[in-house]
Amino acid sequence: MSLYLRRIAVDGFRKFREPMAIEGLTDGLNIVIEPNETGKSTVLEALRAAFFVRHGTKNQLAQSFAPYGEAVGPEIQVSFDADGAPWTVTKRFLRGASIEVTGPQGKAQGEEAEARLHTLLGSVRDTSQKGDAGTYGALGLLWVAQAEALAVTGPGQIVRDTVRSTLEAEVGSIMGGPAYTRVRSRIDEQYGRYWSPTGQKRGRQNEARERVEQAEEAARDAAERLAGLERTFAELENARTRLKVVHREIADDTDVQTRKDLAASLETARAAAQILATRRAEHEAISAKARSLEDLVDRHRKATDDRNSAELALADARIRRAEILDGLATAKQRLAETRSALDAARTARQEARRALSTGEDLLRASRRRSAVDAAHARHTKLIDLERLQGEAAALATTIISTKAMEALETNERLVAEARAARAAGATRIALVGDAAGISIDGEPMAIGERTLSGETRVRLGNAELIITPPAGAASAEVALSSALERQTSTFADLGLTSLAEARARNDTARDAVGELRTIAARIAAVTPADDIIGLAPGPDALKLFIVELVDEDEAVEADIPDVALLTAKLEAADTALARAEGAQESAVEALRRAEQEDAPLASTEAGAASTLANTDSQIETIEGRPEFPTLAADVVRAREQTAEAAVKLEEATRDATAHDPAAITRRIEIIDARVKAAGEARAKLEMDVARLEGTVESEGGKGLADREAGAREEAEAARAALQRITEEADTLKLLRDTLDEARDETSAKFVGPVAKRAKRHIERLLPGCDLSFSEDLTLEAVVRGGISEGCGDLSRGTQEQLAVLTRIAFADMLLEQGRPVSLILDDPLVYADDARLDLMVEILSEAAERMQVVLLTCRDRAFRHVPGNRVSMVSSR
């Protein structure tokens, strides 16, 4: 069956920002000739979207339907006939997405409407991001967009399956037809239980493999538990043997007797150590007394020697100091004189500095007063400028937005259009002469003209004249009233009375915006920074300075002192001060040198006097002690007693060394540790024996050997099942591959009938040629004079013509199947020469007798002579 498009309406779809429609499409050849950039290709895209793109999708393709920069819902409405019945599809995308299909079964919306379209057109749902023509069925092959016909391409899977079904009877095979599909579907279903689409193992194969892994894991676990029980029996026997050995060690009393002997030896050693400590203390006491007496002798001798040296040093220092006392007195006198001169110089400099500071203060005060006066003057200018700025800003805020002005302009244009429409469709009547006894719509009629937009009754005595203007006059009057109301409402919202007033206000506001920039520049010019009064730049800083300004003493001395002269006096005073400081430093240096010469002598004299006093005191103290008279005899006696104590200490040391308490204590500790360790080992072994006996008792009754044998048998069964399922999977894979090979072989049988049907069309273009099709029914080459030429090697024009002719051949085969067929070519035959263009037009005209053909072209001259239904793209507003 053919599919006949009747009407195509598009609104808000890509470049069609305003409604557009193509109407008056007929059954045969339809030619749409429009200039470039008018949207012919967009119409074809809209048709594909209306029929094949799901209304609710928001993918990249659907997003491209909206006009650039606008957030609207693109809408397409198509009216067509299919199988002799009228259909209408209305589809909206993105905002308020919806679909409504009207056909012989009534209306349908949403997914039900999408399903009806797919069933009617033989298409499937397109899930791609950019649109896949292969899912559109026959119309995906026959609706050819711009430049798609420049290369010879094969039909999609849906068309190939349909063609194969048509040719099954001719080739005598089920491969590729519905029967093959049923068989292949069953095999694919079984195949999917074992393999993934990419040939990876899954499903039952993975389940069998998991069963093997689980069974082998269970067998390993059972074997490990059985081996663990056997290890427990061995560990229990070993623990019992070790426990017997520990019991024998604890029963042996050898260590007990040895410990008793060591304890007795330890008491003897402790007594010897006590005697040694006593002898060592006696030796220390006698030695200390001897050292004290010897130290006293040494101190007396040293003090006597120091006293003699101090007496000699003191006499020498006193002689040398007497020689430099005169020079030191002279240096001190000169320092006093220079200090007085320095004080006078400092006083003079302070007076000069004070005079300069006073002069500078007076000069700064004068400059500040001038700067403050200038700031006051600039502040006055600033106030005036800010007043002007406020007035300009108030005017600038009255500007009307571009959107509002566009609305006013649109309303004004609509009012004018409505008035023109009313004037064009209304009836005008005029009354002259005497109006007595004449009424119009029940009211007395006045002399003059009147415009009638609706039915009007004029009473003329006993007769009544009924005037009925054209039907469009009433709607024009309503449109005019609506436009006037909208215009009045918009004016009222903006506080305006006319469009001219709005334009004048906008002009004034724009001038105010420019004036604001000028005023801002002037304000910046009158508010510079001023370092003299610490004023920052900007109007805010100037106003803050004026507000915070404290009244200052305006009495400025009229006679400002000469700051340069005062500076010179200060420099002279600094020079005099520097010279005085230099003289003082020279006197200080002379005094310092004299004091440096005297200082070591004074220090030597003081040190010698101090040493002499100390040594006299030490000698007096030593000689005053009671033991000093017999000191020599006491030293000799102390040395003898020290020797006797040393002999006794040596004897005590020998006795103590013979019995070492630490070694005896260590041996006792070793015996005690060995006894403790034996007790701990016995307790641990007793606990291990009890634990192992409990384990044997609990695990021995669980039948671990039987469980291990059962787990081993389950693992063997799982491995056998895995082998069986693997063989089944390999068999299914082999069967599927064999079917594919058989299908490929059989597919070649379809090429002959397809080539036969296509040749009757192509023979007219290329007489005497044979055709070569691939297994997917794509025209691969043409054979002329025994030479095969690939389609890619042909000229662009020949490729384009072959692509159109093969599509016509497929369309004829699809018609035999009763599929909906319609041929649309966008900008076709662009590379055809005049002769071939005429031939192709003739072939298309013949095809239009069997199906609807729509040509979208911008080439008026090329198709001007072609007979057919000419339609245009017109605004539907």
Side-chain angles (χ1 to χ4, degrees):
M1 65 177 180
S2 287
L3 181 144
Y4 300 102
L5 299 171
R6 300 303 184 195
R7 181 178 184 272
I8 307 169
V10 181
D11 185 12
F13 188 94
R14 291 188 177 167
K15 74 176 300 169
F16 294 117
R17 300 174 184 268
E18 300 295 335
M20 185 283 305
I22 297 178
E23 300 179 344
L25 295 169
T26 61
D27 293 356
L29 179 62
N30 298 269
I31 304 176
V32 180
I33 302 177
E34 297 286 351
N36 287 328
E37 301 296 329
T38 54
K40 300 184 296 300
S41 300
T42 305
V43 170
L44 181 54
E45 287 297 320
L47 271 175
R48 287 181 168 180
F51 283 159
F52 306 118
V53 180
R54 185 175 173 274
H55 68 284
T57 187
K58 295 184 179 180
N59 60 15
Q60 180 180 352
L61 178 62
Q63 295 291 336
S64 72
F65 292 161
Y68 180 77
E70 294 189 8
V72 298
E75 185 172 326
I76 310 105
Q77 185 181 68
V78 183
S79 299
F80 61 97
D81 293 344
D83 199 16
W87 291 75
T88 301
V89 56
T90 303
K91 186 175 290 188
R92 184 180 178 88
F93 294 95
L94 303 178
R95 293 180 177 269
S98 64
I99 180 176
E100 180 176 285
V101 174
T102 304
Q105 299 87 6
K107 290 184 178 180
Q109 296 178 339
E111 296 300 330
E112 175 62 25
E114 297 279 8
R116 284 192 186 183
L117 275 181
H118 289 315
T119 302
L120 175 66
L121 304 176
S123 59
V124 296
R125 181 173 176 179
D126 179 16
T127 58
S128 66
Q129 291 289 317
K130 297 184 178 180
D132 181 9
T135 65
Y136 300 166
L139 299 181
L141 175 67
L142 303 178
W143 289 1
V144 186
Q146 191 176 52
E148 284 185 1
L150 294 181
V152 180
T153 58
Q157 184 64 43
I158 297 175
V159 176
R160 293 200 299 272
D161 291 344
T162 303
V163 171
R164 287 192 178 102
S165 298
T166 304
L167 301 177
E168 277 183 3
E170 297 184 29
V171 300
S173 174
I174 67 168
M175 302 303 291
Y180 169 81
T181 302
R182 290 193 297 272
V183 174
R184 179 58 185 266
S185 298
R186 179 60 178 166
I187 292 175
D188 286 344
E189 180 183 355
Q190 295 295 325
Y191 180 86
R193 297 180 180 179
Y194 297 91
W195 303 94
S196 69
T198 59
Q200 301 298 320
K201 296 180 180 180
R202 73 172 187 183
R204 297 187 63 184
Q205 291 197 82
N206 290 342
E207 293 173 359
R209 186 178 295 101
E210 291 175 359
R211 178 188 172 190
V212 170
E213 293 174 354
Q214 293 174 358
E216 290 179 346
E217 179 67 23
R220 286 194 297 272
D221 182 65
E224 289 176 358
R225 293 188 64 182
L226 180 61
L229 179 61
E230 293 175 353
R231 287 195 299 272
T232 302
F233 277 115
E235 291 175 1
L236 177 60
E237 184 63 25
N238 184 33
R240 286 173 175 171
T241 301
R242 290 168 58 196
L243 182 61
K244 291 178 182 179
V245 173
V246 171
H247 278 301
R248 286 198 300 270
E249 290 177 355
I250 292 175
D252 188 0
D253 60 351
T254 300
D255 285 342
V256 176
Q257 184 61 42
T258 301
R259 191 180 189 287
K260 289 181 180 178
D261 295 341
L262 289 173
S265 298
L266 181 61
E267 291 298 327
T268 302
R270 287 174 177 170
Q274 184 65 35
I275 293 172
L276 176 60
T278 302
R279 294 291 182 260
R280 185 177 287 116
E282 292 175 351
H283 181 267
E284 284 293 331
I286 294 173
S287 297
K289 182 177 181 181
R291 286 194 299 273
S292 176
L293 293 175
E294 290 175 351
D295 180 66
L296 186 61
V297 171
D298 292 338
R299 285 163 55 198
H300 185 268
R301 183 176 59 256
K302 184 175 182 304
T304 302
D305 294 340
D306 291 343
R307 182 181 62 182
N308 295 334
S309 298
E311 289 176 348
L312 294 175
L314 179 59
D316 181 64
R318 285 174 177 173
I319 293 170
R320 294 174 61 189
R321 283 194 70 196
E323 296 175 355
I324 63 173
L325 288 178
D326 294 339
L328 182 61
T330 302
K332 288 180 179 180
Q333 179 62 33
R334 184 184 174 195
L335 177 60
E337 293 173 354
T338 56
R339 183 171 294 143
S340 298
L342 177 61
D343 290 340
R346 284 175 177 169
T347 301
R349 188 186 66 168
Q350 288 175 357
E351 292 176 354
R353 178 175 292 174
R354 189 178 303 111
L356 178 59
S357 176
T358 301
E360 289 176 343
D361 290 342
L362 291 174
L363 181 59
R364 280 194 297 271
S366 177
R367 290 178 178 175
R368 176 176 175 80
R369 174 55 57 190
S370 299
V372 169
D373 292 341
H376 277 292
R378 292 199 303 274
H379 180 260
T380 302
K381 293 181 181 179
L382 175 62
I383 297 301
D384 293 339
L385 290 174
E386 287 186 339
R387 176 180 55 79
L388 295 176
Q389 187 181 42
E391 295 172 356
L395 290 175
T397 58
T398 63
I399 194 169
I400 302 172
S401 66
T402 303
K403 184 176 181 181
M405 284 300 298
E406 289 177 356
L408 290 176
E409 297 284 356
T410 301
N411 290 342
E412 188 74 13
R413 186 173 59 255
L414 292 175
V415 169
E417 291 174 355
R419 284 176 176 162
R422 185 186 69 171
T427 299
R428 300 180 63 83
I429 63 174
L431 179 63
V432 297
D434 187 5
I438 300 175
S439 64
I440 181 168
D441 290 337
E443 297 180 356
M445 187 173 178
I447 299 298
E449 291 186 355
R450 182 186 296 264
T451 299
L452 305 181
S453 58
E455 183 180 288
T456 306
R457 295 176 181 270
V458 180
R459 174 66 61 181
L460 303 170
N462 295 329
E464 188 175 48
L465 174 64
I466 301 175
I467 302 172
T468 304
S475 61
E477 183 68 26
V478 173
L480 176 59
S481 177
S482 176
L484 287 172
E485 289 177 359
R486 184 162 56 251
Q487 185 186 48
T488 302
S489 175
T490 305
F491 281 149
D493 292 341
L494 297 175
L496 300 169
T497 59
S498 65
L499 181 60
E501 183 182 351
R503 291 170 178 163
R505 181 194 290 182
N506 262 16
D507 292 340
T508 302
R510 291 191 189 96
D511 293 341
V513 171
E515 183 66 17
L516 280 175
R517 290 194 292 269
T518 302
I519 293 174
R522 293 176 64 188
I523 289 175
V526 301
T527 56
D530 193 337
D531 295 336
I532 295 176
I533 55 177
L535 177 62
D540 293 336
L542 178 58
K543 289 187 285 186
L544 180 63
F545 174 78
I546 296 300
V547 171
E548 295 180 347
L549 187 63
V550 180
D551 292 339
E552 300 180 1
D553 186 8
E554 298 184 358
V556 179
E557 293 183 8
D559 187 11
I560 304 299
D562 188 350
V563 175
L565 179 60
L566 295 176
T567 303
K569 291 182 178 180
L570 177 60
E571 291 175 354
D574 288 336
T575 301
L577 176 61
R579 294 177 64 84
E581 288 177 346
Q584 185 191 29
E585 289 176 0
S586 176
V588 169
E589 180 65 21
L591 178 61
R592 183 180 61 77
R593 286 195 299 270
E595 289 177 344
Q596 286 178 347
E597 294 177 2
D598 179 63
L601 297 177
S603 176
T604 301
E605 180 183 357
S610 175
T611 301
L612 181 60
N614 290 334
T615 54
D616 288 341
S617 176
Q618 289 178 8
I619 292 172
E620 184 179 355
T621 301
I622 292 172
E623 291 178 351
R625 297 183 63 164
E627 65 270 21
F628 182 78
T630 60
L631 181 59
D634 291 342
V635 169
V636 173
R637 188 166 53 254
R639 288 174 179 171
E640 293 174 354
Q641 291 176 352
T642 299
E644 293 174 358
V647 172
K648 293 180 180 180
L649 176 60
E650 181 66 21
E651 294 175 354
T653 300
R654 285 196 303 270
D655 293 340
T657 304
H659 302 282
D660 187 0
I664 296 172
T665 301
R666 284 194 299 273
R667 291 182 62 189
I668 293 174
E669 290 175 350
I670 291 171
I671 293 173
D672 292 342
R674 187 161 54 239
V675 172
K676 181 180 179 181
E680 291 176 351
R682 180 181 62 183
K684 183 177 184 302
L685 288 171
E686 292 283 0
M687 182 176 64
D688 290 344
V689 168
R691 176 178 58 78
L692 294 172
E693 288 175 348
T695 301
V696 169
E697 183 179 354
S698 62
E699 294 291 324
K702 292 182 179 180
L704 294 182
D706 294 339
R707 184 179 299 179
E708 188 272 339
R712 189 169 60 253
E713 293 175 357
E714 170 61 19
E716 293 174 356
R719 284 191 288 270
L722 174 61
Q723 182 178 0
R724 183 178 67 256
I725 289 174
T726 302
E727 292 174 355
E728 293 175 0
D730 293 340
T731 301
L732 278 171
K733 189 174 185 179
L734 178 61
L735 177 58
R736 187 170 182 265
D737 294 342
T738 303
L739 278 175
D740 288 340
E741 293 175 2
R743 182 187 182 188
D744 293 340
E745 293 175 1
T746 308
S747 295
K749 298 178 181 180
F750 293 101
V751 173
V754 172
K756 181 179 179 180
R757 285 170 169 80
K759 184 175 180 180
R760 69 188 183 196
H761 297 294
I762 299 177
E763 177 74 19
R764 299 171 64 181
L765 181 71
L766 303 172
C769 76
D770 290 322
L771 308 178
S772 175
F773 284 84
S774 66
E775 295 177 357
D776 64 353
L777 303 183
T778 300
L779 179 61
E780 286 187 331
V782 294
V783 181
R784 292 185 288 188
I787 299 175
S788 177
E789 299 177 77
C791 288
D793 297 329
L794 300 174
S795 68
R796 297 298 297 273
T798 302
Q799 290 187 50
E800 180 186 35
Q801 295 146 25
L802 290 175
V804 173
L805 294 177
T806 53
R807 282 179 167 86
I808 294 175
F810 281 119
D812 289 338
M813 285 185 278
L814 292 170
L815 276 174
E816 296 176 15
Q817 256 323 78
R819 297 292 181 180
V821 172
S822 172
L823 182 61
I824 301 178
L825 300 176
D826 182 13
D827 201 12
L829 308 173
V830 294
Y831 293 103
D833 56 33
D834 293 341
R836 285 196 175 180
L837 178 62
D838 292 340
L839 176 59
M840 291 299 298
V841 169
E842 181 181 345
I843 295 174
L844 288 172
S845 299
E846 294 174 359
E849 297 175 0
R850 305 185 297 276
M851 67 191 77
Q852 185 186 48
V853 179
V854 180
L855 301 181
L856 304 172
T857 180
C858 62
R859 302 165 64 198
D860 185 24
R861 179 181 302 175
F863 293 91
R864 183 183 303 160
H865 66 287
V866 178
N869 178 39
R870 298 181 184 278
V871 292
S872 301
M873 300 165 52
V874 297
S875 173
S876 62
R877 178 177 290 278

